[in-house]
Amino acid sequence: MQVAIDGPAGSGKSTVAKLVAERLGFLYIDTGAMYRALTLKAMREGLPLDDEDQIAELLERTRLELKSGPQTRVFLDGEDVSEAIRLPDVNRGVSAVAALGKVRQGLVMLQQEMAKGHVVMDGRDIGTVVLPQAEVKVFLTASLKERARRRALELQSRGIEVSQEEAEAQLALRDKLDESREIGPLKKADDAYLLDTTDLTIGQVVEEILSLCKKAMEA
Ligand code: DC
């Protein structure tokens, strides 16, 4: 069984998807982490982030691994980059890399490979492109204000100070880039269940998705 969770930055996808995977005993795959890790490597090598051929070639010589479990970890060529990929520089650069067609092609193939068993996968194009046949599809949203509040808190908890206004501006920009790109844009699949999390707790969102999974399993 496949559970696809999509939505804009700060909608709570990763937190919720991870908890749903834990409750179901499924593998959790954070596809955003893959775009982020590749972006980090490109930045370290000083490559222009909008150069499709160079970044696609970089992907070919890159090993990306995700470890699921109570502590999800991301490995870039064997190095644990779980913290480094959340830094503001990567936040700012990742949409450019995610807009490159050849890069998306490569990562989508890799993600489809990884999704062979029971999985919960989160991203932007999971329900539309990566796993169009997923039994459960959810599109999470929340108001921009609430998403910015969550993002600012998350960054502060890691010692990075950003104001709510700054977080709001960064999220709005990333949403715009993610929604407007030609290939695999951020978009709700027609058959995805729309869930607005603005006034819901994490626990409520998890329960709602689990009940969709239960229905799908019964069907
Ligand atoms: O979910 P996230 O914020 O970690 O994602 C980081 C970026 O990667 C996001 O700005 C868009 C991109 N992304 C994508 O284009 N497709 C995916 N399936 C997942 C993420």
Side-chain angles (χ1 to χ4, degrees):
M1 176 159 147
Q2 296 173 326
V3 182
I5 303 182
D6 290 301
S11 59
K13 287 185 314 287
S14 307
T15 309
V16 163
K18 198 173 144 205
L19 289 169
V20 169
E22 264 172 35
R23 289 276 293 273
L24 294 172
F26 286 13
L27 184 69
Y28 164 55
I29 301 174
D30 174 359
T31 62
M34 300 168 78
Y35 288 94
R36 285 171 177 274
L38 183 65
T39 303
L40 177 67
K41 184 166 175 176
M43 291 172 112
R44 283 176 174 176
E45 296 204 1
L47 297 179
L49 300 182
D50 57 354
D51 188 321
E52 181 164 18
D53 289 330
Q54 281 202 63
I55 310 277
E57 188 273 327
L58 181 73
L59 177 59
E60 279 175 27
R61 54 183 171 87
T62 297
R63 194 158 42 90
L64 293 174
E65 290 157 295
L66 300 179
K67 295 237 157 73
S68 198
Q71 274 258 323
T72 45
R73 310 301 300 176
V74 188
F75 293 87
L76 173 65
D77 299 320
E79 176 195 348
D80 186 343
V81 292
S82 313
E83 270 83 40
I85 60 166
R86 309 280 161 203
L87 292 174
D89 275 356
V90 177
N91 283 341
R92 277 190 285 272
V94 65
S95 286
V97 170
L100 305 173
K102 288 182 191 167
V103 169
R104 299 201 71 83
Q105 222 176 356
L107 286 179
V108 166
M109 262 169 55
L110 198 59
Q111 289 154 10
Q112 289 171 336
E113 267 308 297
M114 293 165 102
K116 288 282 152 69
H118 294 302
V119 290
V120 178
M121 189 178 268
D122 80 15
R124 303 291 187 288
D125 58 342
I126 311 306
T128 51
V129 177
V130 183
L131 304 175
Q133 74 289 6
E135 286 84 355
V136 177
K137 293 185 188 178
V138 182
F139 193 86
L140 292 185
T141 57
S143 69
L144 179 61
K145 223 180 178 57
E146 173 61 15
R147 290 188 289 121
R149 191 187 68 82
R150 293 175 189 170
R151 182 50 56 97
L153 278 179
E154 183 205 327
L155 288 172
Q156 280 160 17
S157 77
R158 291 191 280 117
I160 303 166
E161 285 303 322
V162 283
S163 67
Q164 174 127 355
E165 291 71 33
E166 219 177 314
E168 208 169 304
Q170 284 176 12
L171 285 181
L173 176 65
R174 200 137 67 88
D175 288 351
K176 193 161 157 262
L177 294 171
D178 288 339
E179 283 165 1
S180 62
R181 69 167 169 252
E182 277 180 35
I183 311 153
L186 166 66
K187 187 174 174 292
K188 177 186 165 302
D190 292 338
D191 54 351
Y193 181 84
L194 181 67
L195 189 52
D196 186 333
T197 71
T198 306
D199 298 314
L200 299 180
T201 64
I202 291 166
Q204 287 172 322
V205 179
V206 170
E207 289 307 326
E208 183 93 18
I209 297 175
L210 285 172
S211 91
L212 293 174
C213 294
K214 192 158 167 264
K215 272 189 214 140
M217 283 176 196
E218 286 164 1

